[in-house]
Amino acid sequence: MKKHWAFIDTGFQDASWNMAFDECLINWHHEGKIPPTLRFYGWKAPSLSVGYFQKVDNKIDFDAIERHSCQFVRRLTGGSAVLHDDELTYSLVISENDPDIPVSVQEAYHVLSKGVFEGYHNLGIPAEYAILDRDSARGRTAICFEKPAFYEMVVDGKKLSGNAQTRKKGVLMQHGSVPMSMDTEMLFDLFLFSSGRIRERSRAAFSKKAVTINQLTNREHHYDMLTQAFKEGFKKGLDLELHPLQLTETQWEEVQQLAHSKYETRAWNINSNKERASIG
């Protein structure tokens, strides 16, 4: 029996607005204002997002972010840094108490990522789930695509997409990056290294760890092509019937206000976790 979810494609927006919308989805679902919802979106400008707990002091080169005309934002979810540029991004919200959602974070990833799995297969890409042994799963890198996590998508061991999850107010929110291409020159310029040689060595090694849709297909894709493939992928993978999400003018204003009051601020994006906890 198909499950009924809402769907919205918010198009290309600023980094702060994108993260505010995802947080609003959590709030609205918690308040019973919206059903389980799938969202697709893009980015107005190249944007570096970092995980909720990720340290940025002496790690991120903010001069380079300005030089590359990038935006910067801290996510509500954990994990490592992601450069959002030529990609489709998805997010979804569903109650933690939904019978289809496992208690285990890893198993919840497995269930919810079936839509991503089917989306890649709709593009003719033989994606597989990353199944890691305990030793491989340990440790974290500063850059998301350097290492797959449990049940993320890989082809020949190379990571295809990055996903992150949080659970707040009884709601599970998962979002993920599905790159069509990746500017590794820009990506590695945005991080601080002890020398240029180490930066170039890390950049060269990255190509053995990550791969994009355009590289695998030898074809240039665009946003609309991915939205079609992955919308059908989520419908099949999660057995969904999708209905357009209708928001009120007040809800759209709520997103803008949250973007301005939280996700555009230094207090949220830059300051230490302790400082952010005291204001949040």
Side-chain angles (χ1 to χ4, degrees), residues 195-225:
S195 70
R197 189 174 70 172
I198 293 176
R199 182 193 308 276
E200 292 309 315
R201 186 186 305 162
S202 299
R203 199 193 319 262
F206 185 78
S207 64
K208 300 176 182 179
K209 303 173 183 177
V211 68
T212 64
I213 290 171
N214 290 353
Q215 288 174 313
L216 287 169
T217 60
N218 292 314
R219 179 185 178 192
E220 187 172 324
H221 289 73
H222 53 76
Y223 182 84
D224 290 340
M225 294 167 67

PDB file of all heavy atoms in Angstrom, residues 195-225:
ATOM      1  N   SER A 195      50.950  22.954   3.790  1.00  0.00           N
ATOM      2  CA  SER A 195      51.786  23.321   2.647  1.00  0.00           C
ATOM      3  C   SER A 195      50.997  23.100   1.359  1.00  0.00           C
ATOM      4  O   SER A 195      50.029  22.321   1.329  1.00  0.00           O
ATOM      5  CB  SER A 195      53.067  22.481   2.612  1.00  0.00           C
ATOM      6  OG  SER A 195      52.786  21.134   2.268  1.00  0.00           O
ATOM      7  N   GLY A 196      51.433  23.758   0.300  1.00  0.00           N
ATOM      8  CA  GLY A 196      50.802  23.571  -0.994  1.00  0.00           C
ATOM      9  C   GLY A 196      50.975  22.156  -1.507  1.00  0.00           C
ATOM     10  O   GLY A 196      50.092  21.625  -2.197  1.00  0.00           O
ATOM     11  N   ARG A 197      52.098  21.537  -1.181  1.00  0.00           N
ATOM     12  CA  ARG A 197      52.355  20.171  -1.646  1.00  0.00           C
ATOM     13  C   ARG A 197      51.354  19.190  -1.032  1.00  0.00           C
ATOM     14  O   ARG A 197      50.839  18.292  -1.716  1.00  0.00           O
ATOM     15  CB  ARG A 197      53.773  19.750  -1.293  1.00  0.00           C
ATOM     16  CG  ARG A 197      54.181  18.426  -1.926  1.00  0.00           C
ATOM     17  CD  ARG A 197      55.633  18.101  -1.684  1.00  0.00           C
ATOM     18  NE  ARG A 197      55.871  17.760  -0.285  1.00  0.00           N
ATOM     19  CZ  ARG A 197      57.026  17.285   0.178  1.00  0.00           C
ATOM     20  NH1 ARG A 197      58.059  17.158  -0.643  1.00  0.00           N
ATOM     21  NH2 ARG A 197      57.169  16.997   1.438  1.00  0.00           N
ATOM     22  N   ILE A 198      51.041  19.357   0.248  1.00  0.00           N
ATOM     23  CA  ILE A 198      50.073  18.479   0.903  1.00  0.00           C
ATOM     24  C   ILE A 198      48.677  18.713   0.330  1.00  0.00           C
ATOM     25  O   ILE A 198      47.903  17.771   0.129  1.00  0.00           O
ATOM     26  CB  ILE A 198      50.093  18.700   2.427  1.00  0.00           C
ATOM     27  CG1 ILE A 198      51.427  18.221   2.992  1.00  0.00           C
ATOM     28  CG2 ILE A 198      48.927  17.996   3.098  1.00  0.00           C
ATOM     29  CD1 ILE A 198      51.603  18.469   4.468  1.00  0.00           C
ATOM     30  N   ARG A 199      48.368  19.971   0.014  1.00  0.00           N
ATOM     31  CA  ARG A 199      47.077  20.266  -0.601  1.00  0.00           C
ATOM     32  C   ARG A 199      46.942  19.525  -1.931  1.00  0.00           C
ATOM     33  O   ARG A 199      45.916  18.897  -2.207  1.00  0.00           O
ATOM     34  CB  ARG A 199      46.929  21.772  -0.830  1.00  0.00           C
ATOM     35  CG  ARG A 199      45.567  22.163  -1.427  1.00  0.00           C
ATOM     36  CD  ARG A 199      45.586  23.607  -1.935  1.00  0.00           C
ATOM     37  NE  ARG A 199      46.060  24.542  -0.933  1.00  0.00           N
ATOM     38  CZ  ARG A 199      45.302  25.079   0.011  1.00  0.00           C
ATOM     39  NH1 ARG A 199      44.023  24.782   0.068  1.00  0.00           N
ATOM     40  NH2 ARG A 199      45.820  25.925   0.888  1.00  0.00           N
ATOM     41  N   GLU A 200      47.969  19.599  -2.775  1.00  0.00           N
ATOM     42  CA  GLU A 200      47.903  18.961  -4.085  1.00  0.00           C
ATOM     43  C   GLU A 200      47.880  17.448  -3.973  1.00  0.00           C
ATOM     44  O   GLU A 200      47.215  16.762  -4.756  1.00  0.00           O
ATOM     45  CB  GLU A 200      49.079  19.422  -4.947  1.00  0.00           C
ATOM     46  CG  GLU A 200      49.009  20.885  -5.347  1.00  0.00           C
ATOM     47  CD  GLU A 200      47.671  21.246  -5.958  1.00  0.00           C
ATOM     48  OE1 GLU A 200      47.170  20.483  -6.813  1.00  0.00           O
ATOM     49  OE2 GLU A 200      47.102  22.281  -5.564  1.00  0.00           O
ATOM     50  N   ARG A 201      48.596  16.921  -2.984  1.00  0.00           N
ATOM     51  CA  ARG A 201      48.584  15.471  -2.779  1.00  0.00           C
ATOM     52  C   ARG A 201      47.189  15.005  -2.354  1.00  0.00           C
ATOM     53  O   ARG A 201      46.687  13.979  -2.821  1.00  0.00           O
ATOM     54  CB  ARG A 201      49.607  15.099  -1.703  1.00  0.00           C
ATOM     55  CG  ARG A 201      49.795  13.591  -1.515  1.00  0.00           C
ATOM     56  CD  ARG A 201      50.698  13.310  -0.339  1.00  0.00           C
ATOM     57  NE  ARG A 201      51.977  13.995  -0.465  1.00  0.00           N
ATOM     58  CZ  ARG A 201      52.811  14.215   0.541  1.00  0.00           C
ATOM     59  NH1 ARG A 201      52.465  13.846   1.761  1.00  0.00           N
ATOM     60  NH2 ARG A 201      53.963  14.810   0.345  1.00  0.00           N
ATOM     61  N   SER A 202      46.549  15.779  -1.475  1.00  0.00           N
ATOM     62  CA  SER A 202      45.195  15.443  -1.024  1.00  0.00           C
ATOM     63  C   SER A 202      44.199  15.562  -2.167  1.00  0.00           C
ATOM     64  O   SER A 202      43.299  14.733  -2.313  1.00  0.00           O
ATOM     65  CB  SER A 202      44.775  16.376   0.116  1.00  0.00           C
ATOM     66  OG  SER A 202      45.637  16.243   1.222  1.00  0.00           O
ATOM     67  N   ARG A 203      44.374  16.584  -2.992  1.00  0.00           N
ATOM     68  CA  ARG A 203      43.485  16.776  -4.136  1.00  0.00           C
ATOM     69  C   ARG A 203      43.611  15.602  -5.117  1.00  0.00           C
ATOM     70  O   ARG A 203      42.607  15.097  -5.637  1.00  0.00           O
ATOM     71  CB  ARG A 203      43.811  18.087  -4.829  1.00  0.00           C
ATOM     72  CG  ARG A 203      42.694  18.605  -5.724  1.00  0.00           C
ATOM     73  CD  ARG A 203      43.133  19.731  -6.634  1.00  0.00           C
ATOM     74  NE  ARG A 203      43.999  20.712  -6.061  1.00  0.00           N
ATOM     75  CZ  ARG A 203      43.635  21.902  -5.577  1.00  0.00           C
ATOM     76  NH1 ARG A 203      42.362  22.248  -5.591  1.00  0.00           N
ATOM     77  NH2 ARG A 203      44.518  22.749  -5.083  1.00  0.00           N
ATOM     78  N   ALA A 204      44.832  15.168  -5.370  1.00  0.00           N
ATOM     79  CA  ALA A 204      45.059  14.064  -6.300  1.00  0.00           C
ATOM     80  C   ALA A 204      44.477  12.756  -5.761  1.00  0.00           C
ATOM     81  O   ALA A 204      43.891  11.965  -6.510  1.00  0.00           O
ATOM     82  CB  ALA A 204      46.551  13.915  -6.571  1.00  0.00           C
ATOM     83  N   ALA A 205      44.602  12.551  -4.453  1.00  0.00           N
ATOM     84  CA  ALA A 205      44.088  11.318  -3.843  1.00  0.00           C
ATOM     85  C   ALA A 205      42.567  11.282  -3.854  1.00  0.00           C
ATOM     86  O   ALA A 205      41.957  10.209  -3.893  1.00  0.00           O
ATOM     87  CB  ALA A 205      44.607  11.194  -2.418  1.00  0.00           C
ATOM     88  N   PHE A 206      41.966  12.468  -3.841  1.00  0.00           N
ATOM     89  CA  PHE A 206      40.504  12.565  -3.772  1.00  0.00           C
ATOM     90  C   PHE A 206      39.847  11.911  -4.980  1.00  0.00           C
ATOM     91  O   PHE A 206      38.771  11.309  -4.866  1.00  0.00           O
ATOM     92  CB  PHE A 206      40.105  14.040  -3.684  1.00  0.00           C
ATOM     93  CG  PHE A 206      38.640  14.286  -3.499  1.00  0.00           C
ATOM     94  CD1 PHE A 206      38.050  14.120  -2.255  1.00  0.00           C
ATOM     95  CD2 PHE A 206      37.843  14.697  -4.560  1.00  0.00           C
ATOM     96  CE1 PHE A 206      36.698  14.360  -2.065  1.00  0.00           C
ATOM     97  CE2 PHE A 206      36.490  14.943  -4.386  1.00  0.00           C
ATOM     98  CZ  PHE A 206      35.919  14.769  -3.127  1.00  0.00           C
ATOM     99  N   SER A 207      40.475  12.002  -6.136  1.00  0.00           N
ATOM    100  CA  SER A 207      39.886  11.450  -7.361  1.00  0.00           C
ATOM    101  C   SER A 207      39.759   9.932  -7.288  1.00  0.00           C
ATOM    102  O   SER A 207      38.980   9.337  -8.055  1.00  0.00           O
ATOM    103  CB  SER A 207      40.730  11.836  -8.578  1.00  0.00           C
ATOM    104  OG  SER A 207      42.018  11.265  -8.492  1.00  0.00           O
ATOM    105  N   LYS A 208      40.488   9.310  -6.391  1.00  0.00           N
ATOM    106  CA  LYS A 208      40.391   7.862  -6.219  1.00  0.00           C
ATOM    107  C   LYS A 208      39.318   7.470  -5.205  1.00  0.00           C
ATOM    108  O   LYS A 208      39.041   6.282  -5.023  1.00  0.00           O
ATOM    109  CB  LYS A 208      41.750   7.303  -5.768  1.00  0.00           C
ATOM    110  CG  LYS A 208      42.879   7.573  -6.751  1.00  0.00           C
ATOM    111  CD  LYS A 208      44.206   7.078  -6.215  1.00  0.00           C
ATOM    112  CE  LYS A 208      45.350   7.399  -7.177  1.00  0.00           C
ATOM    113  NZ  LYS A 208      46.665   6.951  -6.650  1.00  0.00           N
ATOM    114  N   LYS A 209      38.739   8.484  -4.555  1.00  0.00           N
ATOM    115  CA  LYS A 209      37.780   8.215  -3.487  1.00  0.00           C
ATOM    116  C   LYS A 209      36.353   8.636  -3.831  1.00  0.00           C
ATOM    117  O   LYS A 209      35.405   8.179  -3.194  1.00  0.00           O
ATOM    118  CB  LYS A 209      38.206   8.949  -2.207  1.00  0.00           C
ATOM    119  CG  LYS A 209      39.606   8.592  -1.718  1.00  0.00           C
ATOM    120  CD  LYS A 209      40.002   9.485  -0.552  1.00  0.00           C
ATOM    121  CE  LYS A 209      41.426   9.204  -0.098  1.00  0.00           C
ATOM    122  NZ  LYS A 209      41.833  10.120   0.990  1.00  0.00           N
ATOM    123  N   ALA A 210      36.195   9.547  -4.794  1.00  0.00           N
ATOM    124  CA  ALA A 210      34.876  10.088  -5.109  1.00  0.00           C
ATOM    125  C   ALA A 210      34.682  10.150  -6.618  1.00  0.00           C
ATOM    126  O   ALA A 210      35.653  10.264  -7.377  1.00  0.00           O
ATOM    127  CB  ALA A 210      34.715  11.481  -4.498  1.00  0.00           C
ATOM    128  N   VAL A 211      33.425  10.093  -7.048  1.00  0.00           N
ATOM    129  CA  VAL A 211      33.115  10.144  -8.472  1.00  0.00           C
ATOM    130  C   VAL A 211      31.748  10.814  -8.625  1.00  0.00           C
ATOM    131  O   VAL A 211      30.927  10.788  -7.706  1.00  0.00           O
ATOM    132  CB  VAL A 211      33.120   8.723  -9.082  1.00  0.00           C
ATOM    133  CG1 VAL A 211      31.968   7.887  -8.552  1.00  0.00           C
ATOM    134  CG2 VAL A 211      33.143   8.764 -10.593  1.00  0.00           C
ATOM    135  N   THR A 212      31.518  11.425  -9.780  1.00  0.00           N
ATOM    136  CA  THR A 212      30.261  12.145  -9.998  1.00  0.00           C
ATOM    137  C   THR A 212      29.467  11.519 -11.144  1.00  0.00           C
ATOM    138  O   THR A 212      29.970  10.689 -11.914  1.00  0.00           O
ATOM    139  CB  THR A 212      30.530  13.624 -10.329  1.00  0.00           C
ATOM    140  OG1 THR A 212      31.234  13.704 -11.574  1.00  0.00           O
ATOM    141  CG2 THR A 212      31.341  14.297  -9.230  1.00  0.00           C
ATOM    142  N   ILE A 213      28.230  11.959 -11.268  1.00  0.00           N
ATOM    143  CA  ILE A 213      27.332  11.447 -12.301  1.00  0.00           C
ATOM    144  C   ILE A 213      27.895  11.689 -13.696  1.00  0.00           C
ATOM    145  O   ILE A 213      27.897  10.790 -14.550  1.00  0.00           O
ATOM    146  CB  ILE A 213      25.943  12.091 -12.158  1.00  0.00           C
ATOM    147  CG1 ILE A 213      25.248  11.561 -10.899  1.00  0.00           C
ATOM    148  CG2 ILE A 213      25.076  11.841 -13.393  1.00  0.00           C
ATOM    149  CD1 ILE A 213      23.966  12.280 -10.550  1.00  0.00           C
ATOM    150  N   ASN A 214      28.376  12.909 -13.958  1.00  0.00           N
ATOM    151  CA  ASN A 214      28.888  13.216 -15.296  1.00  0.00           C
ATOM    152  C   ASN A 214      30.109  12.374 -15.650  1.00  0.00           C
ATOM    153  O   ASN A 214      30.281  11.961 -16.804  1.00  0.00           O
ATOM    154  CB  ASN A 214      29.238  14.703 -15.404  1.00  0.00           C
ATOM    155  CG  ASN A 214      28.008  15.593 -15.404  1.00  0.00           C
ATOM    156  OD1 ASN A 214      26.877  15.120 -15.456  1.00  0.00           O
ATOM    157  ND2 ASN A 214      28.229  16.899 -15.337  1.00  0.00           N
ATOM    158  N   GLN A 215      30.973  12.110 -14.665  1.00  0.00           N
ATOM    159  CA  GLN A 215      32.147  11.275 -14.915  1.00  0.00           C
ATOM    160  C   GLN A 215      31.743   9.851 -15.270  1.00  0.00           C
ATOM    161  O   GLN A 215      32.322   9.233 -16.171  1.00  0.00           O
ATOM    162  CB  GLN A 215      33.048  11.267 -13.680  1.00  0.00           C
ATOM    163  CG  GLN A 215      33.790  12.568 -13.423  1.00  0.00           C
ATOM    164  CD  GLN A 215      34.545  12.540 -12.111  1.00  0.00           C
ATOM    165  OE1 GLN A 215      34.012  12.151 -11.079  1.00  0.00           O
ATOM    166  NE2 GLN A 215      35.806  12.947 -12.144  1.00  0.00           N
ATOM    167  N   LEU A 216      30.749   9.325 -14.572  1.00  0.00           N
ATOM    168  CA  LEU A 216      30.350   7.930 -14.788  1.00  0.00           C
ATOM    169  C   LEU A 216      29.615   7.727 -16.103  1.00  0.00           C
ATOM    170  O   LEU A 216      29.694   6.653 -16.702  1.00  0.00           O
ATOM    171  CB  LEU A 216      29.460   7.469 -13.628  1.00  0.00           C
ATOM    172  CG  LEU A 216      30.170   7.223 -12.303  1.00  0.00           C
ATOM    173  CD1 LEU A 216      29.151   7.048 -11.185  1.00  0.00           C
ATOM    174  CD2 LEU A 216      31.073   6.001 -12.389  1.00  0.00           C
ATOM    175  N   THR A 217      28.898   8.756 -16.537  1.00  0.00           N
ATOM    176  CA  THR A 217      28.066   8.606 -17.733  1.00  0.00           C
ATOM    177  C   THR A 217      28.686   9.229 -18.985  1.00  0.00           C
ATOM    178  O   THR A 217      28.163   9.034 -20.091  1.00  0.00           O
ATOM    179  CB  THR A 217      26.690   9.266 -17.508  1.00  0.00           C
ATOM    180  OG1 THR A 217      26.887  10.660 -17.226  1.00  0.00           O
ATOM    181  CG2 THR A 217      25.959   8.600 -16.350  1.00  0.00           C
ATOM    182  N   ASN A 218      29.791   9.975 -18.802  1.00  0.00           N
ATOM    183  CA  ASN A 218      30.392  10.721 -19.918  1.00  0.00           C
ATOM    184  C   ASN A 218      29.351  11.603 -20.607  1.00  0.00           C
ATOM    185  O   ASN A 218      29.322  11.735 -21.837  1.00  0.00           O
ATOM    186  CB  ASN A 218      31.023   9.758 -20.937  1.00  0.00           C
ATOM    187  CG  ASN A 218      32.236   9.059 -20.384  1.00  0.00           C
ATOM    188  OD1 ASN A 218      33.095   9.683 -19.772  1.00  0.00           O
ATOM    189  ND2 ASN A 218      32.297   7.750 -20.573  1.00  0.00           N
ATOM    190  N   ARG A 219      28.511  12.187 -19.796  1.00  0.00           N
ATOM    191  CA  ARG A 219      27.423  13.018 -20.300  1.00  0.00           C
ATOM    192  C   ARG A 219      27.165  14.146 -19.316  1.00  0.00           C
ATOM    193  O   ARG A 219      27.218  13.945 -18.106  1.00  0.00           O
ATOM    194  CB  ARG A 219      26.163  12.168 -20.466  1.00  0.00           C
ATOM    195  CG  ARG A 219      24.945  12.919 -20.969  1.00  0.00           C
ATOM    196  CD  ARG A 219      23.726  12.014 -20.976  1.00  0.00           C
ATOM    197  NE  ARG A 219      22.534  12.729 -21.412  1.00  0.00           N
ATOM    198  CZ  ARG A 219      21.298  12.253 -21.302  1.00  0.00           C
ATOM    199  NH1 ARG A 219      21.087  11.052 -20.793  1.00  0.00           N
ATOM    200  NH2 ARG A 219      20.258  12.971 -21.715  1.00  0.00           N
ATOM    201  N   GLU A 220      26.884  15.331 -19.831  1.00  0.00           N
ATOM    202  CA  GLU A 220      26.594  16.466 -18.959  1.00  0.00           C
ATOM    203  C   GLU A 220      25.119  16.452 -18.581  1.00  0.00           C
ATOM    204  O   GLU A 220      24.235  16.442 -19.449  1.00  0.00           O
ATOM    205  CB  GLU A 220      26.943  17.780 -19.668  1.00  0.00           C
ATOM    206  CG  GLU A 220      26.825  18.993 -18.757  1.00  0.00           C
ATOM    207  CD  GLU A 220      27.349  20.251 -19.418  1.00  0.00           C
ATOM    208  OE1 GLU A 220      28.349  20.164 -20.166  1.00  0.00           O
ATOM    209  OE2 GLU A 220      26.754  21.320 -19.179  1.00  0.00           O
ATOM    210  N   HIS A 221      24.842  16.453 -17.288  1.00  0.00           N
ATOM    211  CA  HIS A 221      23.475  16.462 -16.792  1.00  0.00           C
ATOM    212  C   HIS A 221      23.126  17.854 -16.263  1.00  0.00           C
ATOM    213  O   HIS A 221      24.004  18.667 -15.992  1.00  0.00           O
ATOM    214  CB  HIS A 221      23.306  15.432 -15.671  1.00  0.00           C
ATOM    215  CG  HIS A 221      23.340  14.023 -16.153  1.00  0.00           C
ATOM    216  ND1 HIS A 221      24.509  13.402 -16.564  1.00  0.00           N
ATOM    217  CD2 HIS A 221      22.350  13.089 -16.305  1.00  0.00           C
ATOM    218  CE1 HIS A 221      24.246  12.164 -16.938  1.00  0.00           C
ATOM    219  NE2 HIS A 221      22.942  11.950 -16.788  1.00  0.00           N
ATOM    220  N   HIS A 222      21.842  18.097 -16.109  1.00  0.00           N
ATOM    221  CA  HIS A 222      21.418  19.346 -15.505  1.00  0.00           C
ATOM    222  C   HIS A 222      20.361  19.042 -14.445  1.00  0.00           C
ATOM    223  O   HIS A 222      19.861  17.907 -14.322  1.00  0.00           O
ATOM    224  CB  HIS A 222      20.894  20.340 -16.551  1.00  0.00           C
ATOM    225  CG  HIS A 222      19.823  19.804 -17.439  1.00  0.00           C
ATOM    226  ND1 HIS A 222      18.512  19.644 -17.029  1.00  0.00           N
ATOM    227  CD2 HIS A 222      19.873  19.381 -18.735  1.00  0.00           C
ATOM    228  CE1 HIS A 222      17.798  19.153 -18.020  1.00  0.00           C
ATOM    229  NE2 HIS A 222      18.582  18.982 -19.072  1.00  0.00           N
ATOM    230  N   TYR A 223      20.024  20.061 -13.681  1.00  0.00           N
ATOM    231  CA  TYR A 223      19.170  19.913 -12.501  1.00  0.00           C
ATOM    232  C   TYR A 223      17.846  19.220 -12.821  1.00  0.00           C
ATOM    233  O   TYR A 223      17.427  18.290 -12.114  1.00  0.00           O
ATOM    234  CB  TYR A 223      18.929  21.303 -11.902  1.00  0.00           C
ATOM    235  CG  TYR A 223      18.092  21.347 -10.646  1.00  0.00           C
ATOM    236  CD1 TYR A 223      18.663  21.121  -9.393  1.00  0.00           C
ATOM    237  CD2 TYR A 223      16.729  21.641 -10.709  1.00  0.00           C
ATOM    238  CE1 TYR A 223      17.907  21.188  -8.244  1.00  0.00           C
ATOM    239  CE2 TYR A 223      15.965  21.714  -9.559  1.00  0.00           C
ATOM    240  CZ  TYR A 223      16.551  21.487  -8.327  1.00  0.00           C
ATOM    241  OH  TYR A 223      15.791  21.554  -7.192  1.00  0.00           O
ATOM    242  N   ASP A 224      17.178  19.644 -13.885  1.00  0.00           N
ATOM    243  CA  ASP A 224      15.870  19.082 -14.213  1.00  0.00           C
ATOM    244  C   ASP A 224      15.942  17.598 -14.552  1.00  0.00           C
ATOM    245  O   ASP A 224      15.002  16.840 -14.277  1.00  0.00           O
ATOM    246  CB  ASP A 224      15.228  19.847 -15.371  1.00  0.00           C
ATOM    247  CG  ASP A 224      14.805  21.254 -14.977  1.00  0.00           C
ATOM    248  OD1 ASP A 224      14.663  21.502 -13.763  1.00  0.00           O
ATOM    249  OD2 ASP A 224      14.637  22.103 -15.873  1.00  0.00           O
ATOM    250  N   MET A 225      17.043  17.165 -15.144  1.00  0.00           N
ATOM    251  CA  MET A 225      17.208  15.748 -15.447  1.00  0.00           C
ATOM    252  C   MET A 225      17.275  14.930 -14.158  1.00  0.00           C
ATOM    253  O   MET A 225      16.697  13.844 -14.062  1.00  0.00           O
ATOM    254  CB  MET A 225      18.470  15.532 -16.281  1.00  0.00           C
ATOM    255  CG  MET A 225      18.423  16.149 -17.666  1.00  0.00           C
ATOM    256  SD  MET A 225      20.037  16.199 -18.472  1.00  0.00           S
ATOM    257  CE  MET A 225      20.367  14.472 -18.723  1.00  0.00           C
TER     258      MET A 225
END
